[in-house]
């Protein structure tokens, strides 16, 4: 019998833990639970979980602080959970090194999909990087620096290519404005969200069939962007 992934839940609300227990155990996850940030950090060290689901509204520690402290010694995938309307909490946690987020209330299906992406991304990062990334009918040859949609070559400017490169190396994962700007333009540009909006618009014009209904380049309102993971045709 293969053991399912071990998930550490850090959540102070008993009702929420009950919901998580029911949805996750039924889908093969093993669970360790913590009710506070400090307990979560202790459990993360003691159990070495495969993934952490972290509520940002905890009684003792700021969720962002928990992410920062975990990231001092661990690369474990972290999915944060926040209340609706608290975009700044999500963004701070993502900038501190969280991998993804869910907004309460969410369905079991949504939760499982996010966890699958985070686990797959971790396995992908551990493996050797692929020279050619394929996502749906988008193909990026990272060695030759060539981009194709349905085998038609797409000409990109160096900055557009750099931006696309950051996104395809993080397929399925949300990236904050700050993280993308720092990576593509450099840390001193981390606040220049208008640059990003302009270049993202250009990339959509070139890659999407209908730039107003993007298939690849999704906007995460108030947070950043995500390259949607698509099945390879
Ligand atoms: Ca809470």
């Amino acid at each position: 019998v293969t053991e399912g992934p071990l998930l550490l839940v850090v959540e102070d609300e008993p009702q929420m833990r009950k919901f998580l227990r029911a949805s996750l155990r039924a889908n093969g996850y093993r669970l360790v639970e913590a009710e506070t940030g400090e307990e979560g950090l202790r459990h993360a060290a003691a159990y070495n979980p495969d993934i952490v689901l972290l509520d940002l509204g905890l009684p003792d520690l700021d969720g962002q602080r928990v992410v920062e402290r975990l990231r001092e010694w661990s690369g474990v995938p972290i999915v944060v959970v926040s209340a609706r309307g608290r975009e700044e909490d999500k963004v701070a946690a993502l900038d501190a090194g969280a991998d993804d987020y869910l907004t309460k209330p969410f369905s079991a299906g949504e939760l499982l999909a996010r966890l699958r992406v985070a686990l797959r991304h971790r396995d992908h990062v551990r493996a050797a990087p692929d020279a050619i990334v394929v996502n749906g009918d988008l193909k990026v040859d990272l060695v030759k620096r060539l981009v194709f949609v349905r085998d038609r070559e797409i000409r990109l400017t160096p900055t557009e290519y750099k931006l696309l490169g950051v996104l395809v190396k993080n397929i399925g994962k949300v990236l904050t404005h700050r993280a993308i700007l720092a990576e593509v333009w450099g840390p001193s540009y981390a606040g220049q969200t208008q640059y990003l909006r302009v270049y993202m618009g250009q990339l959509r014009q070139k890659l999407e069939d209908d730039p107003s209904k993007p298939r690849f380049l999704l906007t995460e309102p108030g947070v950043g962007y995500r390259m949607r993971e698509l099945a390879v045709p």
Side-chain angles (χ1 to χ4, degrees):
V1 179
T2 48
E3 289 199 316
L6 180 65
L7 182 133
L8 168 60
V9 174
V10 188
E11 168 64 76
D12 59 318
E13 290 159 51
Q15 278 307 107
M16 192 64 192
R17 286 205 307 276
K18 198 174 157 191
F19 161 72
L20 294 170
R21 221 176 280 145
S23 352
L24 292 168
R25 285 208 181 127
N27 284 279
Y29 283 85
R30 295 172 297 136
L31 252 67
V32 177
E33 296 177 23
E35 294 179 33
T36 64
E38 289 290 355
E39 190 184 21
L41 288 166
R42 280 199 305 277
H43 281 3
Y47 293 94
N48 190 25
D50 296 303
I51 188 160
V52 176
L53 188 66
L54 169 69
D55 180 33
L56 291 179
L58 293 169
D60 59 334
L61 279 179
D62 199 57
Q64 180 191 349
R65 190 72 196 114
V66 178
V67 174
E68 282 166 2
R69 283 182 52 187
L70 252 175
R71 280 288 172 263
E72 284 170 11
W73 55 272
S74 171
V76 66
I78 305 170
V79 176
V80 296
V81 175
S82 75
R84 197 168 292 288
R86 299 300 302 262
E87 262 73 24
E88 64 284 7
D89 295 350
K90 285 191 300 221
V91 172
L94 290 164
D95 281 334
D99 295 84
D100 207 343
Y101 70 91
L102 283 157
T103 305
K104 287 180 185 176
F106 51 82
S107 68
E110 220 180 322
L111 166 68
L112 290 163
R114 290 300 165 82
L115 295 178
R116 266 196 305 273
V117 168
L119 284 169
R120 205 161 36 233
H121 189 73
R122 174 203 60 171
D123 295 341
H124 192 78
V125 167
R126 281 184 185 171
D130 293 325
I132 297 176
V133 179
V134 180
N135 187 36
D137 47 35
L138 171 71
K139 191 165 91 181
V140 182
D141 185 326
L142 296 170
V143 177
K144 296 180 184 158
R145 303 171 76 92
L146 297 175
V147 179
F148 301 88
V149 174
R150 276 180 227 103
D151 296 323
R152 183 171 62 89
E153 190 181 346
I154 310 289
R155 298 282 183 173
L156 299 182
T157 67
T159 303
E160 289 166 358
Y161 180 80
K162 217 168 161 186
L163 174 57
L164 181 64
V166 172
L167 292 158
V168 297
K169 283 173 199 154
N170 294 282
I171 290 172
K173 210 180 137 176
V174 62
L175 298 174
T176 62
H177 297 124
R178 177 168 287 275
I180 301 173
L181 282 158
E183 183 84 18
V184 176
W185 282 272
S188 57
Y189 291 83
Q192 308 290 322
T193 47
Q194 75 281 10
Y195 279 45
L196 192 49
R197 206 170 313 125
V198 168
Y199 277 88
M200 198 58 80
Q202 288 172 202
L203 261 189
R204 280 178 175 151
Q205 286 294 339
K206 292 185 178 182
L207 299 182
E208 303 281 3
D209 295 338
D210 179 354
S212 67
K213 293 193 197 85
R215 292 186 302 142
F216 299 114
L217 304 167
L218 306 187
T219 298
E220 295 283 334
V223 177
Y225 296 94
R226 183 196 304 266
M227 168 70 77
R228 179 191 279 153
E229 184 175 37
L230 293 166
V232 175

